[in-house]
Amino acid sequence: MQLSKSEEELMNILWKQKKAFMKDLLDAYPEPKPASTTIATLLKRMADKKFIDYKTLGRSREYFPLVKKKDYFSKHVNGLIKNFFNDSASQFASFFTQETNLSKMELEELKKLIDVELKKK
């Protein structure tokens, strides 16, 4: 299951804060802030999708993520590779390195990361 762009934006705030009340979430948005009813709707949808949950404390709800950011984006990237790059990580890497205008230093950092992973295998 995926999040909409608005849900993803709210989820990023919740990942950063780890747990938050509605007021905390609203405060994290830049101006113009969305309506609290909009945030409430997004939170309900995200809870229905099992991305978040909450604890009731008095009359308030403290929301927290059920899905780790790394896990969500890992599935996202793997789906992207499968659907747009014929399930080929090398096609994805080729596209990524050629189309993102990475500097020589950034490419060298990527190479180091790959070398470290190769040593682990």
Side-chain angles (χ1 to χ4, degrees):
M1 189 144 334
Q2 271 188 299
L3 296 170
S4 70
K5 189 168 176 76
S6 300
E7 292 166 344
E8 238 175 56
E9 186 178 5
L10 181 55
M11 194 70 192
N12 270 314
I13 293 169
L14 201 49
W15 277 320
K16 254 185 220 164
Q17 296 187 1
K18 296 185 177 46
K19 54 186 177 175
F21 293 96
M22 169 77 80
K23 182 188 179 320
D24 304 323
L25 296 169
L26 272 169
D27 287 346
Y29 276 89
E31 292 293 340
K33 296 185 185 299
S36 59
T37 53
T38 302
I39 300 301
T41 299
L42 292 172
L43 289 167
K44 168 130 179 45
R45 279 195 226 147
M46 292 160 62
D48 290 346
K49 292 179 181 180
K50 307 282 189 243
F51 278 94
I52 66 166
D53 203 357
Y54 59 87
K55 290 181 193 169
T56 304
L57 301 168
R59 292 177 37 174
S60 299
R61 291 178 176 177
E62 184 179 45
Y63 295 92
F64 55 91
L66 293 175
V67 175
K68 292 179 183 167
K69 186 174 187 175
K70 182 181 175 184
D71 294 341
Y72 178 72
F73 285 103
S74 176
K75 282 186 180 180
H76 228 53
V77 169
N78 286 325
L80 186 74
I81 291 169
K82 182 178 182 181
N83 295 325
F84 293 100
F85 297 98
N86 300 319
D87 214 5
S88 168
S90 55
Q91 279 184 21
F92 170 74
S94 174
F95 176 84
F96 177 74
T97 56
Q98 291 172 7
E99 300 298 324
T100 54
N101 297 324
L102 296 171
S103 69
K104 183 176 181 181
M105 192 168 93
E106 289 170 319
L107 287 167
E108 287 172 358
E109 281 297 313
L110 282 175
K111 186 177 181 301
K112 285 179 193 172
L113 290 170
I114 291 169
D115 288 342
V116 167
E117 289 302 314
L118 283 170
K119 287 178 184 171
K120 291 180 185 176
K121 306 259 179 202

